[in-house]
């Protein structure tokens, strides 16, 4: 069991030499974690021909029994390792943790993950990174029984369809996306750097619009990447690299309130869609909310039919609610209709909790 070399997985022991805390280094012999794991708790005899490293991703046994990037590989088929990992997770639960993202899950057998999770003191929300590889025997759908599975390009039809729609100015097709129990992710720390996904450098506000759509449309449980700006692919967090884990995000903080609000409305939007051009889409559900997205280079003004009660609503894409005031523009609903403008490469969003009068 392991994560990628820069994994933050709770299932991954510290590497033999790894920077932690305030620049303090812990140096250990390989396979030795005093008081926690010893030699017998790792895979170390299964991959003699490859020198212990994964070399053939078409061999599921090798992928799940050999070492990735030199990381010690826990023998998760053993009872001690399973119980020790469950003990760690239960400690996190005692601290208030409600869910886990399992990094590099494809390197851990499905049955092992299921067994470990069965030992926890409460049911957690689980989302798993299982990167798709063409013709590989280990596939993302195999892990759906253990929790949500994060989708990335090229695997995800949702993301691929969304990216193509935005890039080609044809988002009308997104009205027909089906519900899914998956966990679509716009990007992770790998894909945002290798052009495999949208990122904060994507033109025409595409990154923000992608999140607006993902958080307001009922397709799975979206994952938001809280990241930071980077001048090249190897740059670290904006704190001088003194800490292993970034202390903060300098990208999504400015939109955190919008994302927080929308994240509670994923099942509230997604029906009653309209699109009067391939690069415009708007949708809502009953009397709960309404969203519109414009990926064209010109403003989109039109009237919409809605079941929202009459009143004045704060446009949460551009403002926030404080009492009965809105820090941004408002939209007035009268007798089941409203007229508004979505500027070029922009959108709008209103919902019942953003009603100010």
């Amino acid at each position: 069991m392991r994560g990628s070399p820069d994994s933050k997985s709770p299932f991954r022991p510290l590497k033999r030499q790894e920077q932690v805390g305030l620049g303090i280094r812990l140096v250990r012999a390989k396979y030795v974690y005093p008081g926690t794991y010893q030699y017998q708790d790792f895979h170390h005899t299964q991959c003699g021909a490859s020198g212990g490293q994964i070399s053939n991703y078409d061999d599921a046994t090798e992928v799940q029994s050999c070492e990735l990037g030199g990381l010690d590989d826990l023998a998760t088929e053993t009872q001690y390792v399973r119980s020790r990992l469950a003990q760690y997770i239960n400690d996190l639960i005692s601290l208030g943790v409600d869910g886990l993202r399992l990094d590099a899950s494809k390197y851990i057998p499905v049955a092992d993950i299921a067994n470990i999770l069965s030992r926890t003191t409460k049911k957690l929300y689980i989302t798993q990174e299982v990167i798709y590889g063409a013709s590989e025997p280990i596939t993302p759908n195999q892990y759906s029984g253990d929790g949500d599975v994060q989708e990335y390009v090229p695997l995800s039809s949702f993301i691929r369809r969304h990216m193509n729609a935005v890039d080609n100015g044809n988002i009308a097709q997104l009205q027909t996306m089906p519900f899914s129990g998956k966990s679509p992710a716009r990007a992770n720390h790998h894909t945002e750097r290798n052009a495999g996904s949208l990122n904060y450098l994507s033109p025409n506000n595409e990154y923000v619009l992608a999140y607006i759509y993902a958080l307001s449309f009922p397709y799975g449980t979206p994952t938001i990447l809280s990241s930071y700006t980077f001048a090249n692919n190897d740059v670290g967090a904006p704190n001088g690299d003194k800490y292993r884990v970034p202390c903060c995000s300098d990208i999504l903080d400015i939109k955190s309130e919008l994302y927080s609000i929308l994240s509670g409305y994923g099942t509230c939007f997604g029906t009653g869609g309209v699109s009067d051009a391939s690069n415009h889409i708007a949708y809502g559900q009953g009397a709960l909310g309404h969203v519109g997205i414009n990926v064209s280079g010109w403003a989109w003004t039109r009237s919409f039919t809605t079941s929202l009660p009459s009143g004045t609503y704060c446009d949460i894409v551009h403002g926030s609610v404080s009492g009965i005031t809105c820090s941004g523009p408002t939209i007035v609903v009268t007798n089941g209709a409203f007229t508004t403008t979505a500027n070029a490469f922009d959108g709008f969003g209103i919902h019942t909790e953003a009603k100010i009068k």
Side-chain angles (χ1 to χ4, degrees):
M1 173 181 252
R2 85 292 282 159
S4 57
D6 57 354
S7 167
K8 310 301 187 297
S9 170
F11 286 159
R12 183 183 62 99
L14 288 172
K15 291 190 291 184
R16 188 160 57 97
Q17 293 191 45
E18 181 168 345
Q19 183 172 318
V20 296
L22 293 173
I24 300 172
R25 284 190 177 277
L26 302 180
V27 180
R28 297 190 176 101
K30 194 169 179 63
Y31 306 130
V32 176
Y33 300 82
T36 306
Y37 301 115
Q38 300 300 316
Y39 181 85
Q40 67 271 16
D41 300 318
F42 296 90
H43 293 139
H44 37 67
T45 61
Q46 291 86 346
C47 305
S50 63
Q53 303 298 306
I54 299 171
S55 61
N56 179 15
Y57 277 82
D58 290 327
D59 185 334
T61 300
E62 180 173 320
V63 171
Q64 296 180 335
S65 300
C66 302
E67 294 182 358
L68 173 67
L71 294 174
D72 300 345
D73 189 51
L74 283 170
T76 51
E77 71 275 13
T78 65
Q79 292 305 306
Y80 172 74
V81 170
R82 289 175 171 181
S83 64
R84 186 64 184 84
L85 291 171
Q87 179 184 343
Y88 174 73
I89 296 173
N90 285 330
D91 184 55
L92 294 178
I93 290 173
S94 73
L95 299 175
V97 169
D98 292 316
L100 297 173
R101 175 189 182 273
L102 307 187
D103 188 79
S105 292
K106 71 185 294 180
Y107 301 97
I108 311 164
V110 172
D112 293 359
I113 294 177
N115 184 283
I116 294 164
L117 294 177
S118 73
R119 300 168 185 244
T120 59
T121 54
K122 77 172 185 179
K123 185 175 179 59
L124 296 169
Y125 171 73
I126 300 296
T127 183
Q128 305 162 94
E129 180 200 45
V130 185
I131 301 296
Y132 172 80
S135 78
E136 289 182 12
I138 301 173
T139 60
N141 64 295
Q142 295 169 358
Y143 289 77
S144 60
D146 289 336
D148 282 355
V149 179
Q150 293 186 320
E151 291 189 311
Y152 298 98
V153 174
L155 168 65
S156 169
S157 60
F158 176 81
I159 298 175
R160 182 172 60 250
R161 190 168 176 180
H162 183 274
M163 288 182 67
N164 289 342
V166 173
D167 290 343
N168 299 327
N170 182 17
I171 61 172
Q173 61 181 287
L174 298 179
Q175 295 179 88
T176 58
M177 288 301 298
F179 176 79
S180 167
K182 300 174 182 176
S183 179
R186 306 274 68 69
N188 69 12
H189 55 289
H190 296 302
T191 62
E192 70 172 353
R193 287 167 165 78
N194 65 16
S197 67
L198 299 172
N199 62 43
Y200 79 96
L201 294 172
S202 297
N204 301 326
N205 205 32
E206 290 178 358
Y207 197 52
V208 172
L209 294 177
Y211 274 116
I212 291 174
Y213 176 74
L215 290 171
S216 63
F217 202 89
Y219 183 89
T221 305
T223 295
I224 297 176
L225 173 67
S226 182
S227 188
Y228 48 86
T229 55
F230 51 90
N232 60 67
N233 288 358
D234 298 319
V235 70
N239 54 13
D241 260 352
K242 292 183 179 179
Y243 303 92
R244 181 67 179 169
V245 181
C247 66
C248 53
S249 163
D250 65 349
I251 293 178
L252 292 188
D253 284 348
I254 58 172
K255 293 291 183 182
S256 60
E257 183 170 1
L258 166 63
Y259 296 147
S260 175
I261 292 171
L262 282 174
S263 64
Y265 280 79
T267 58
C268 299
F269 301 112
T271 62
V274 299
S275 179
D276 55 12
S278 63
N279 42 25
H280 303 152
I281 187 173
Y283 45 89
Q285 180 167 326
L288 296 173
H290 222 100
V291 164
I293 300 173
N294 174 17
V295 297
S296 72
W298 57 89
W300 177 34
T301 300
R302 68 158 290 165
S303 295
F304 299 91
T305 300
T306 181
S307 295
L308 280 167
S310 295
T312 301
Y313 295 80
C314 184
D315 177 2
I316 61 169
V317 172
H318 301 100
S320 58
V321 177
S322 177
I324 58 172
T325 63
C326 174
S327 63
T330 59
I331 295 174
V332 177
V333 175
T334 304
N335 298 325
F338 66 92
T339 299
T340 193
T341 296
N343 292 322
F345 305 112
D346 203 352
F348 65 84
I350 57 177
H351 59 76
T352 52
E353 292 183 18
K355 188 172 183 287
I356 58 175
K357 61 180 178 179

